[in-house]
Amino acid sequence: QQQVKQSPQSLIVQKGGISIINCAYENTAFDYFPWYQQFPGKGPALLIAIRPDVSEKKEGRFTISFNKSAKQFSLHIMDSQPGDSATYFCAARSNFGNEKLTFGTGTRLTIIP
Amino acid sequence: EPEVTQTPSHQVTQMGQEVILRCVPISNHLYFYWYRQILGQKVEFLVSFYNNEISEKSEIFDDQFSVERPDGSNFTLKIRSTKLEDSAMYFCASSAVSYNEQFFGPGTRLTVL
């Protein structure tokens, strides 16, 4: 019940296209859903995050869509660029007594020219 | 921009040896975390630390692991007797307040031979 399932495992998108990564969770106590971007040899860096009181959050080319009833959330990268090539992790956190982030399995995104 | 730093970047050790991984969290942060990432796998929570004590630990964080904040700036993870399966990237993270964004360091790659 603590898992966060992420798909796809890898994704190849053409430059200028839309990259979509999906995550699903079971634990209804999760109330904070961040997306992290990780480049090789670096630590995860927060990209964008959402709380379940809104269905969508947009920051520049990055949008999180959140479906509370389906317990799913997704990251959309518009106008994908080669510099977006990285591994993306969704995560979730509960506010009941702990602060640990539970990460998805990651998606390796490659943007091709 | 303030950042979490970690040393060393790469540590090679023999099975059964003790290792200490060091982290300097962002200076005004009060909450500290260790996560690990086995090569090609997801990031996993190990332990959270606040007010000089462990606030939560995962099942991975057994008696071989310990954490300490020996002074006002460092936060360390000690593995008493390393095993081959401890080989992973270890990330330190910190946050300013409870349930706020966690900032990750660049990681220490631990290789146990």
Side-chain angles (χ1 to χ4, degrees):
Chain A
Q1 195 182 15
Q2 286 295 320
Q3 282 188 331
V4 177
K5 296 181 180 177
Q6 183 172 348
S7 63
Q9 191 173 9
S10 64
L11 181 62
I12 299 174
V13 174
Q14 246 177 341
K15 181 182 172 183
I18 303 174
S19 304
I20 302 174
I21 305 170
N22 300 299
C23 284
Y25 63 97
E26 289 294 324
N27 187 351
T28 55
F30 286 150
D31 74 339
Y32 172 71
F33 303 90
W35 283 90
Y36 282 82
Q37 181 187 57
Q38 185 182 31
F39 293 105
K42 303 290 186 184
L46 181 66
L47 191 61
I48 186 173
I50 197 168
R51 294 193 184 273
D53 52 348
V54 296
S55 60
E56 185 175 282
K57 183 173 181 180
K58 184 175 181 179
E59 290 183 3
R61 296 185 294 109
F62 300 92
T63 300
I64 300 179
S65 297
F66 186 83
N67 185 330
K68 188 173 180 178
S69 60
K71 291 185 281 195
Q72 295 174 347
F73 58 110
S74 59
L75 175 69
H76 296 236
I77 306 174
M78 313 299 287
D79 186 26
S80 300
Q81 299 297 313
D84 297 331
S85 296
T87 298
Y88 292 81
F89 291 95
C90 63
R93 187 181 67 199
S94 163
N95 70 346
F96 289 131
N98 64 72
E99 300 169 48
K100 70 176 185 183
L101 290 168
T102 299
F103 283 84
T105 48
T107 296
R108 180 171 291 188
L109 175 66
T110 304
I111 308 300
I112 56 174
Chain B
E1 186 175 325
E3 58 183 15
V4 176
T5 58
Q6 291 185 243
T7 54
S9 57
H10 190 192
Q11 174 93 47
V12 181
T13 190
Q14 295 290 326
M15 190 170 57
Q17 294 296 304
E18 175 182 288
V19 294
I20 297 176
L21 310 183
R22 291 183 167 80
C23 167
V24 178
I26 295 173
S27 65
N28 61 341
H29 284 190
L30 301 176
Y31 296 80
F32 313 112
Y33 314 87
W34 283 101
Y35 291 82
R36 80 170 186 192
Q37 184 179 31
I38 295 171
L39 187 63
Q41 298 186 23
K42 67 178 178 179
V43 178
E44 298 176 289
F45 170 80
L46 291 178
V47 66
S48 58
F49 190 86
Y50 169 70
N51 200 26
N52 279 321
E53 61 182 31
I54 291 173
S55 47
E56 188 183 4
K57 59 183 181 180
S58 72
E59 59 275 10
I60 302 169
F61 194 88
D62 62 22
D63 292 344
Q64 293 300 314
F65 290 87
S66 62
V67 289
E68 192 178 30
R69 188 153 162 84
D71 52 43
S73 59
N74 290 284
F75 179 51
T76 62
L77 174 69
K78 182 194 290 186
I79 309 175
R80 255 177 280 279
S81 177
T82 50
K83 306 183 188 71
L84 294 175
E85 54 265 36
D86 293 328
S87 295
M89 184 74 94
Y90 288 80
F91 293 107
C92 173
S94 69
S95 65
V97 296
S98 181
Y99 304 110
N100 205 2
E101 177 185 351
Q102 293 180 22
F103 292 83
F104 283 75
T108 293
R109 180 169 297 284
L110 176 65
T111 301
V112 182
L113 303 176

